[in-house]
Amino acid sequence: MAEFLKRLGICIALLLLQVFALNRISLFGLATPYVYIYLILILDSDVEPVGRMLWGFVMGLTADIFMNTPGVQAAALTLTAYLQPYILGLFVTLERGIRVNPGAVSLGAGRCSLYFIAVSFVFSLACGLLSISAGAGLLMFFEEVILCSLLSFIPMFVIELLLRGKKRKHRK
C-alpha cells in the first residue's frame, strides 16, 4: 500500500508539472517535453504487466483530458508501459525473481541516460504516429520525434538525480 501511495504521489506531481508548466514549452514549434512518463521509466521489474499498463493508461488518459488529445497520450503511454521491461532488458540483465529498480543508481548514469532516451523515443514515436497530420513531411515527423525525445530526457534525468541520485551519496 505504501508503494502504491508513493507512485500515486509521483503520478500527481508529474502530471501537475506537465499540465501547468511543461505543456507551455514548445521547441521550434515542434517538440514539447513529456516528463510524466518518468513514472513508467522507474517502475520496478517485478511490477506485473497489467499493473504497469494500467498505470500508463490512467496517466495517459488524465494527460489526454488536460491536453485535449483524445486517446493519443493514453495509447502511447500504455504501449510504452508494455514495452518498458523489454527496453530495460537492453540495458540490464533481467532474471526472474530478481528485482531491478531502474535508475541512475542501479544502472549508472550512462546506461540510465540511454534507457531514458530509448523509452522517451518510443513514447514520442507512438505519439507522433497517432497524431500525424497529412500535411507533415517525413523529415518534419522525425525531427519532432527526436527533439521531443531529447527534450523529454533532460527534465526526467534531472528529476532522477534530484529524487533518487542522493541514495548513492548515503551508501558511501
Side-chain angles (χ1 to χ4, degrees):
M1 184 66 167
E3 190 67 30
F4 173 79
L5 292 175
K6 179 182 171 186
R7 286 183 190 147
L8 184 61
I10 292 172
C11 174
I12 291 169
L14 291 174
L15 283 168
L16 288 173
L17 177 65
Q18 183 70 47
V19 169
F20 293 112
L22 297 176
N23 280 349
R24 303 185 194 298
I25 298 172
S26 181
L27 185 65
F28 305 121
L30 290 173
T32 300
Y34 293 109
V35 72
Y36 72 96
I37 65 175
Y38 174 75
L39 180 67
I40 300 301
L41 287 167
I42 63 168
L43 286 177
D44 297 336
S45 61
D46 63 349
V47 174
E48 294 294 323
V50 173
R52 181 181 294 111
M53 291 190 312
L54 189 60
W55 275 106
F57 178 75
V58 170
M59 285 183 68
L61 188 62
T62 306
D64 278 330
I65 291 168
F66 288 105
M67 294 180 199
N68 198 22
T69 55
V72 172
Q73 305 294 322
L77 197 56
T78 303
L79 174 68
T80 304
Y82 174 75
L83 295 175
Q84 183 258 358
Y86 301 107
I87 298 169
L88 179 60
L90 297 173
F91 301 98
V92 66
T93 304
L94 296 176
E95 297 177 19
R96 193 171 266 292
I98 296 177
R99 182 180 187 183
V100 176
N101 188 342
V105 174
S106 62
L107 298 176
R111 285 192 300 170
C112 181
S113 297
L114 292 174
Y115 167 65
F116 278 23
I117 289 171
V119 174
S120 61
F121 178 79
V122 167
F123 176 77
S124 299
L125 183 63
C127 278
L129 288 172
L130 290 169
S131 62
I132 195 166
S133 63
L138 193 59
L139 182 62
M140 181 183 263
F141 170 75
F142 281 112
E143 284 176 352
E144 180 180 346
V145 169
I146 290 170
L147 281 173
C148 188
S149 300
L150 293 176
L151 196 58
S152 297
F153 160 73
I154 295 167
M156 286 190 301
F157 198 72
V158 169
I159 290 171
E160 170 68 18
L161 293 177
L162 290 175
L163 290 181
R164 300 179 345 149
K166 294 178 182 177
K167 291 180 183 177
R168 173 174 278 168
K169 292 177 186 174
H170 295 302
R171 282 201 277 178
K172 289 182 179 179

